[in-house]
Amino acid sequence: MEPNLLCFILFTLFGFVLTSFDEHHYNGTRHYNYCVLGAGPAGLQMGFFLSKARRDYIILERNSGPGSFFNKYPRHRKLISINKIHTGRCNREFNLRHDWNSLLSDKPDLLFRRLSSEFYPPADAFPLYLSMFVRELGLKVQYGVDIGRIRSVQSATGRSYVLTDQHAADYTCSILLVATGLWVPQEVEFAGSDLVEGYESISTNPDDYKGQAVLILGKGNSAFETAQGILGRASRVHMLSSSPVRLAWQTHYVGDLRAVNNELLDTYQLKSLDGLVEAHLEDVVISKQEKSSRRSGVKDAEMRAKLYLGLRKYMQNSDERNGSNASQEELQVDHIDNFPLRKPYDRVIRCLGFRFNFSIFDSSACPPHSKNAKGRLPGVTAWYEGKNTPGLFLLGTASHSRDYRASAGGFVHGFRYTARAVHRLLEYRYHGNTWPSTRLVTTQLMSWILKRVGEASGPYQMFEMLGDVILLQGSHCEYIEEFLLQALPQFSSLSGHEVSSQGLIVVVMQYGKKKIDYLGRSRAETDWTRAWKSNFLHPVLYYYDSLPTEQDMKMRPRGWPLPRPKAIHHMVEDFLTEWDGPLSHIQPLRRFLEHCVQTDLRAFSAETCFHSALTHHKPPLFCQQGYLNQQGVQHYSQLRRRAYKAGPVPVEQVTAGMSTAANPAFPNYLAPPGASVSSGLKLDL
């Protein structure tokens, strides 16, 4: 082939590639409806929902693969997220309650268990799982795009966001979904803080700490993870922070100290040289003193420079000297000769967690700092939109300010559900698709609630943050799953569903608020008449005759997820988390629902429905919607066998005829219809 002809062909092909490379690329700027920033678990979870809805989106990731944070953290390479494979159940929704690593998708086998079967899996498995998630779902991810600046632009068509990468290329979008997580190390400035090593750069080889005295700043999981890794080598390990250690099994917050990392608590309480101390880090002073010796055979640990710790208020000439230059004598606390940290340390390690990266946002697009979490997180609305930044939403750990230290929104098994909730409101706001719902005949309501509280993973993991909303409409109702509870006053504008004059019921999972001995004998409640005293996770139903207002939400009792309702019902806690007891769970729930919907919700046999049709002006709703609607009702014996086998309706109810007092134990369970009722919680706190 002639050289000139070959050059012409290559030039033509190259031009064709340039013109067809990216249909969104105009004048050096790529345009999308949705930009997802970050290819971590939250960004990929939103990517799945956008892909399923066939939206115009792109996921931008600065590194060469998804989940890059987990290539380095946790430093000792063991996840503390539960990977419980063997639950004894085949229900996929139920199993997600105990699978804290998998993302939501339409593929039943696209689960983390394919990468690891360990209860606390290795951290290296998680990026592999995310890569598999991207590949098998065909998500649109662009790697190597390091966004350094985000600004907002207002035009005649509305507000948009412009993202500029390291090559000065721009990406514009109408909706920006930020899922960058927390990766900037949290630091505290104090005298001598320059002598401190960071969690992000310390050695993870235990032998590097042999015979050394180590002080760790912080008492979270990263601090205890570090301590646990060196306990067998270090001479002593002390931990210092402003607050006492918080145990996850006491607080029910998975971000607090987990049992898998807490071996130092044993060595502290059993007086084996390790310990915990409380002091404000801003008041600490650290001084470096060189240690030398000319004796032969001296150990390396004795040759290291020693770090002495003191408190600024006791330091001589504290206004004149820098802590790192202070002498050992200046740090002495003469009148407190048993100062717990008086002995020198070989290392001081900072393990204070991470914070959100605000630096990439221009002033026109920067969400404010949240009031909690010491400002480490961006402030967001109840529907995870940045405050003062319309069209910019926070996902994943970055959105954790809404439930910080309260629920699981900062972790995969929590934010996979809040990401789905954000997508559902985006679908309504920008595409007119109402929040998904299930239309039920009212007689099906109790069975549907029992199904949800028995298996639903979203409200179970995001307790007190996500809940099911039931819109009562007489003989029918609309069941809306996993709505954002803190956004309940904006329910209609966010979901597209209207609340009728018949009111609504909200189903929430929540813990008790009373401080108890969580391992004591009286820790659990088993009596359904005292269900409001339940301490562990259990379902609670709130009935409102009208939608609560924003003011109602602000004035709700302290610790309550929702305002005071017209009536409330606690389903007593269950050791097996299976709320299917005919007497303890089902019958009290039915009586509460009957009060809310003002009708009989019992199930009847065909014979009873026939007799009722002949003797009553208005037969029970069960008969109206079945037998009298020419849909039939199962024969008495069939219904009895089904009830006995499945357990949703006690047999006593079937044989009770038309009596409203089916069980003599329930005569005064509810007040007369129309009265304010509390069927599980005392409201006069």
Side-chain angles (χ1 to χ4, degrees):
M1 184 178 293
E2 294 292 331
N4 291 339
L5 179 59
L6 179 61
C7 291
F8 174 78
I9 294 174
L10 291 175
F11 181 81
T12 303
L13 291 174
F14 182 73
F16 176 78
V17 169
L18 286 179
T19 56
S20 61
F21 177 75
D22 190 347
E23 63 180 356
H24 298 279
H25 186 249
Y26 303 105
N27 300 324
T29 301
R30 296 168 175 83
H31 301 265
Y32 300 91
N33 289 338
Y34 295 89
C35 285
V36 181
L37 189 58
L44 298 183
Q45 184 65 86
M46 179 56 74
F48 161 70
F49 294 125
L50 292 173
S51 178
K52 182 180 178 182
R54 299 186 178 183
R55 301 303 171 201
D56 177 32
Y57 78 97
I58 189 67
I59 302 173
L60 303 175
E61 169 58 44
R62 62 177 183 153
N63 292 293
S64 58
S68 57
F69 178 87
F70 297 92
N71 289 327
K72 184 176 182 180
Y73 302 107
R75 294 300 312 280
H76 291 81
R77 313 311 295 144
K78 178 188 282 189
L79 298 176
I80 58 175
S81 48
I82 290 174
N83 183 39
K84 189 175 181 64
I85 294 176
H86 306 289
T87 65
R89 301 277 291 273
C90 297
N91 187 311
R92 182 169 179 262
E93 179 70 13
F94 174 85
N95 289 341
L96 281 172
R97 289 182 170 185
H98 312 288
D99 176 353
W100 291 11
N101 299 282
S102 296
L103 299 180
L104 307 178
S105 75
D106 290 336
K107 302 189 68 173
D109 65 333
L110 190 52
L111 301 173
F112 185 78
R113 65 176 63 186
R114 286 168 56 180
L115 275 299
S116 174
S117 60
E118 296 183 40
F119 191 72
Y120 293 113
D124 292 332
F126 199 63
L128 295 177
Y129 170 70
L130 297 181
S131 297
M132 181 177 70
F133 192 84
V134 172
R135 181 177 64 255
E136 296 193 15
L137 294 176
L139 302 184
K140 300 176 183 178
V141 184
Q142 190 167 336
Y143 299 108
V145 180
D146 190 0
I147 299 298
R149 185 190 180 198
I150 299 174
R151 65 186 189 277
S152 173
V153 177
Q154 192 70 35
S155 65
T157 57
R159 188 184 184 110
S160 62
Y161 290 91
V162 180
L163 291 67
T164 305
D165 68 9
Q166 73 272 32
H167 304 298
D170 288 339
Y171 300 79
T172 65
C173 52
S174 303
I175 302 99
L176 174 59
L177 303 160
V178 179
T180 54
L182 309 182
W183 58 270
V184 180
Q186 176 76 357
E187 300 183 24
V188 175
E189 293 294 330
F190 55 85
S193 60
D194 57 307
L195 302 174
V196 174
E197 301 175 64
Y199 170 74
E200 66 278 5
S201 58
I202 59 171
S203 169
T204 57
N205 183 359
D207 289 335
D208 290 342
Y209 300 86
K210 189 178 297 183
Q212 296 182 10
V214 180
L215 175 65
I216 297 176
L217 306 181
K219 293 198 192 90
N221 279 296
S222 62
F224 273 87
E225 166 211 331
T226 301
Q228 189 142 315
I230 64 176
L231 275 183
R233 301 294 194 280
S235 62
R236 69 179 187 272
V237 179
H238 292 165
M239 305 183 74
L240 174 69
S241 72
S242 59
S243 60
V245 64
R246 301 184 181 96
L247 302 173
W249 59 267
Q250 289 181 322
T251 64
H252 306 303
Y253 175 59
V254 297
D256 285 335
L257 177 60
R258 305 286 299 287
V260 68
N261 282 330
N262 69 8
E263 290 181 10
L264 185 135
L265 296 182
D266 271 6
T267 59
Y268 169 45
Q269 292 293 339
L270 299 177
K271 303 308 292 180
S272 187
L273 298 179
D274 306 317
L276 309 176
V277 181
E278 284 75 49
H280 290 288
L281 297 184
E282 296 85 352
D283 299 333
V284 167
V285 178
I286 296 179
S287 174
K288 181 178 181 180
Q289 300 294 324
E290 297 295 335
K291 189 81 171 180
S292 62
S293 175
R294 296 181 179 179
R295 292 176 298 168
S296 60
V298 69
K299 296 180 180 180
D300 291 341
E302 296 178 5
M303 297 292 293
R304 290 178 59 91
K306 297 296 182 179
L307 301 177
Y308 289 85
L309 184 139
L311 299 178
R312 178 178 290 276
K313 64 180 179 179
Y314 297 123
M315 179 180 172
Q316 301 177 22
N317 304 319
S318 60
D319 295 332
E320 301 177 7
R321 300 185 66 88
N322 182 289
S324 59
N325 297 324
S327 66
Q328 178 181 349
E329 291 74 18
E330 289 178 308
L331 294 178
Q332 294 299 319
V333 188
D334 295 331
H335 62 287
I336 308 180
D337 58 359
N338 67 339
F339 180 58
L341 305 179
R342 61 185 179 273
K343 288 211 169 182
Y345 295 94
D346 296 288
R347 293 173 183 259
V348 179
I349 301 174
R350 166 182 42 77
C351 300
L352 302 175
F354 301 90
R355 59 183 174 85
F356 183 73
N357 182 22
F358 289 91
S359 65
I360 63 174
F361 293 90
D362 184 88
S363 59
S364 63
C366 188
H369 292 254
S370 65
K371 295 181 180 179
N372 56 10
K374 300 179 180 179
R376 296 187 299 120
L377 296 166
V380 295
T381 65
W383 49 94
Y384 298 102
E385 192 169 16
K387 293 182 178 179
N388 306 320
T389 55
L392 186 154
F393 291 81
L394 281 300
L395 305 175
T397 307
S399 67
H400 193 31
S401 63
R402 292 307 307 187
D403 66 313
Y404 181 68
R405 297 196 51 76
S407 195
F411 311 91
V412 174
H413 64 289
F415 63 62
R416 62 190 179 192
Y417 302 105
T418 57
R420 179 161 64 184
V422 170
H423 177 257
R424 286 170 171 172
L425 70 89
L426 291 175
E427 282 293 298
Y428 177 63
R429 178 186 291 186
Y430 297 105
H431 307 287
N433 298 320
T434 57
W435 199 289
S437 66
T438 302
R439 185 168 176 81
L440 302 170
V441 294
T442 303
T443 51
Q444 297 174 324
L445 179 57
M446 184 178 69
S447 296
W448 200 266
I449 292 175
L450 290 171
K451 172 182 170 65
R452 289 287 296 169
V453 300
E455 69 178 29
S457 57
Y460 188 89
Q461 298 293 8
M462 287 301 296
F463 53 88
E464 303 185 15
M465 295 300 298
L466 295 179
D468 294 351
V469 178
I470 305 166
L471 304 180
L472 303 179
Q473 300 169 350
S475 61
H476 291 77
C477 59
E478 288 288 331
Y479 200 104
I480 293 92
E481 298 178 358
E482 298 176 20
F483 189 76
L484 301 162
L485 295 181
Q486 295 178 358
L488 192 61
Q490 293 81 24
F491 174 78
S492 297
S493 61
L494 296 177
S495 70
H497 296 277
E498 296 296 331
V499 179
S500 73
S501 59
Q502 312 242 351
L504 67 156
I505 298 173
V506 185
V507 184
V508 186
M509 301 293 289
Q510 64 184 64
Y511 282 95
K513 304 304 178 184
K514 184 180 179 181
K515 299 298 181 183
I516 63 168
D517 180 357
Y518 290 99
L519 296 179
R521 289 183 179 275
S522 60
R523 62 187 179 272
E525 183 60 62
T526 58
D527 185 353
W528 70 267
T529 64
R530 295 161 56 87
W532 62 278
K533 289 189 174 183
S534 296
N535 294 307
F536 292 92
L537 196 65
H538 63 285
V540 184
L541 285 77
Y542 294 74
Y543 168 67
Y544 300 94
D545 53 7
S546 62
L547 192 66
T549 65
E550 189 66 39
Q551 185 64 22
D552 293 334
M553 184 64 73
K554 292 179 180 178
M555 298 299 293
R556 69 185 187 273
R558 184 177 181 181
W560 284 37
L562 291 171
R564 292 182 183 274
K566 188 76 172 178
I568 190 168
H569 172 67
H570 284 239
M571 297 180 69
V572 68
E573 60 187 328
D574 186 74
F575 182 72
L576 301 176
T577 63
E578 297 177 359
W579 290 273
D580 57 1
L583 295 180
S584 295
H585 302 123
I586 297 175
Q587 194 152 210
L589 173 63
R590 177 179 63 81
R591 297 300 298 273
F592 174 77
L593 294 176
E594 286 177 339
H595 170 79
C596 296
V597 302
Q598 296 291 288
T599 191
D600 193 327
L601 294 180
R602 289 175 296 164
F604 299 96
S605 66
E607 291 89 341
T608 304
C609 287
F610 178 72
H611 182 269
S612 174
L614 297 177
T615 59
H616 290 74
H617 178 69
K618 188 176 182 181
L621 192 61
F622 180 87
C623 297
Q624 295 179 41
Q625 297 177 341
Y627 179 79
L628 298 179
N629 198 29
Q630 297 182 359
Q631 294 184 6
V633 175
Q634 291 186 5
H635 190 268
Y636 173 82
S637 59
Q638 296 175 332
L639 187 62
R640 183 184 180 93
R641 285 197 299 270
R642 187 182 68 176
Y644 180 79
K645 181 179 179 180
V649 181
V651 174
E652 290 85 351
Q653 288 180 239
V654 180
T655 60
M658 294 302 300
S659 172
T660 58
N663 189 318
F666 296 85
N668 299 315
Y669 179 63
L670 291 176
S676 180
V677 172
S678 171
S679 61
L681 180 65
K682 291 184 178 180
L683 297 178
D684 53 339
L685 298 179

